[in-house]
Amino acid sequence: MTIVADPERLGRIALPDGRVLGWAEWGPEDGAPVLLCPGAATSRRLGFGPDAVHRLGVRLVSADRPGLGASSPSPGRTFADFTTDMRALIASRGLGRPAMVGNSQGAPFALACAVAGLASAVAVVSGADEIAAPEFADALPEELRALVDRVAAEPDDAERFFRGFGADAMWTMVMNGSPASDLDVYGEPVFAAAYRRALDEAFAQGPEGYARDTALAMGRWPFDLSGIDVPVSLWYGEQDTAHSPDNGAALAARIPGARRHTVEGIGGAVLWTHADRILTALTRR
C-alpha cells in the first residue's frame, strides 16, 4: 500500500488582494472534491491515500496556508481570513461545496470552514483540540498549560516564541513525541522523504506562517461549533497523546451529530494508515 505520493497537479491562484495561494491535487480531476487542511508546518505536497483517491473517485486538493510553502504571507491573519481564502480557492478550482479533512493543526481551520458554510462534510483526523477551552484547564501538562496561558495573555510574545521553530525542530519534536506505531510510518523511507520535504517547504519563507497558525490553534477558537450543520467525523488513534487530552471526546460533544472513531494500534499517523476508511466514510456521508 502506498501511503504518500507526489502531487499529480500543482498550481497557484491569485487572490483578490494580490497574494497567491498554492495548491496540490491527487486523484481524478472529475472526482468528488475533498479539500485537505494540512497539519502543522507541512506544505501542500504532503497528501494522503494516493491509491484510495483513485479507487474511490476522490479529487483530493491541499492548500498551503498563508506564509507556508507557495502561499504569500498574511501577517495577523484570522480564521475568518482563512475561510475567505478557501472560498476563493474553491471557486477558482471549481470544487463546489467540497468535503473537508482537517489533519492535526489543520483541524480548527477545517471546522472554521464548516461554520462558514463552505464544507459539505468534515473529517477531523488526529485533530488539534481547543486546548484553551475551560474544560481542559486542569488536564494539560504544566508546560503546555503555560503556553496556552501565554497565548491568551501575551499573544504577540507567544507568536514570537513560536517563530523559534524550524523544520529540524519540528521533525525532532514529532519523532520524540510519537509512539512506536507512528514511528514505523514516519520512518518508512518514502514517507520520511516526503515529510521532510513538506517541512522544508513550509518554512521556506521563514517561520512566521507556522507561528501564526500555532497561535490561532492554541487560543480560543472564535467560531461556534454548535452552528455546524453538516456531518462531522473525528478520527483519533488510541495511542495519540499529542493532539487532544481526551482523544476528541469533548470536541465531538460540542458538534451536533458528530461521530468519533478511536482506531486501535496507531497514534497520530492514522491519516496515512487508515486513509481508505476515512475517505470512504467521508464521501459516503
Side-chain angles (χ1 to χ4, degrees):
M1 178 182 68
T2 305
I3 58 174
V4 290
D6 288 340
E8 298 171 32
R9 296 173 293 278
L10 283 170
R12 302 183 185 190
I13 67 163
L15 296 168
D17 63 0
R19 291 180 296 120
V20 298
L21 188 146
W23 56 265
E25 290 189 4
W26 297 257
E29 292 187 74
D30 61 351
V34 173
L35 180 56
L36 170 66
C37 294
T42 55
S43 74
R44 58 185 170 160
R45 288 180 179 268
L46 188 63
F48 71 100
D51 297 332
V53 295
H54 283 279
R55 183 166 56 254
L56 298 172
V58 167
R59 177 187 178 190
L60 179 66
V61 183
S62 180
D64 287 329
R65 288 188 287 277
L68 282 76
S71 291
S72 303
S74 180
R77 60 187 162 88
T78 64
F79 281 110
D81 294 329
F82 176 76
T83 63
T84 298
D85 286 352
M86 291 302 99
R87 195 182 300 276
L89 174 67
I90 288 167
S92 175
R93 299 301 299 154
L95 304 182
R97 196 180 182 201
M100 295 191 71
V101 175
N103 179 53
S104 185
Q105 197 176 83
F109 293 93
L111 291 170
C113 288
V115 172
L118 301 185
S120 60
V122 177
V124 169
V125 186
S126 304
D129 211 329
E130 188 181 7
I131 53 176
E135 56 262 40
F136 293 138
D138 299 321
L140 303 180
E142 184 177 346
E143 185 176 356
L144 181 56
R145 177 76 261 167
L147 270 179
V148 170
D149 292 343
R150 190 173 182 178
V151 170
E154 302 177 83
D156 292 341
D157 177 67
E159 202 163 324
R160 281 192 293 272
F161 170 76
F162 296 136
R163 290 188 197 121
F165 286 80
D168 289 341
M170 289 299 300
W171 173 270
T172 299
M173 183 170 67
V174 171
M175 296 304 127
N176 289 346
S178 297
S181 58
D182 287 349
L183 294 177
D184 287 342
V185 177
Y186 302 152
E188 194 278 324
V190 173
F191 184 91
Y195 186 33
R196 283 305 306 238
R197 181 178 182 182
L199 288 172
D200 289 340
E201 287 185 341
F203 284 101
Q205 300 182 65
E208 288 79 8
Y210 163 75
R212 187 59 183 166
D213 277 356
T214 304
L216 289 172
M218 291 186 67
R220 291 307 308 268
W221 297 351
F223 44 84
D224 184 4
L225 295 172
S226 69
I228 296 177
D229 60 359
V230 298
V232 176
S233 57
L234 294 89
W235 301 81
Y236 287 89
E238 64 168 350
Q239 299 173 13
D240 185 356
T241 60
H243 294 100
S244 170
D246 60 1
N247 271 16
L251 183 58
R254 296 166 59 195
I255 302 171
R259 298 180 181 179
R260 184 170 69 102
H261 307 268
T262 303
V263 183
E264 296 181 356
I266 196 65
V270 67
L271 179 70
W272 296 283
T273 60
H274 289 71
D276 200 305
R277 184 177 168 190
I278 292 165
L279 285 172
T280 297
L282 179 64
T283 55
R284 284 182 177 172
R285 293 182 69 180

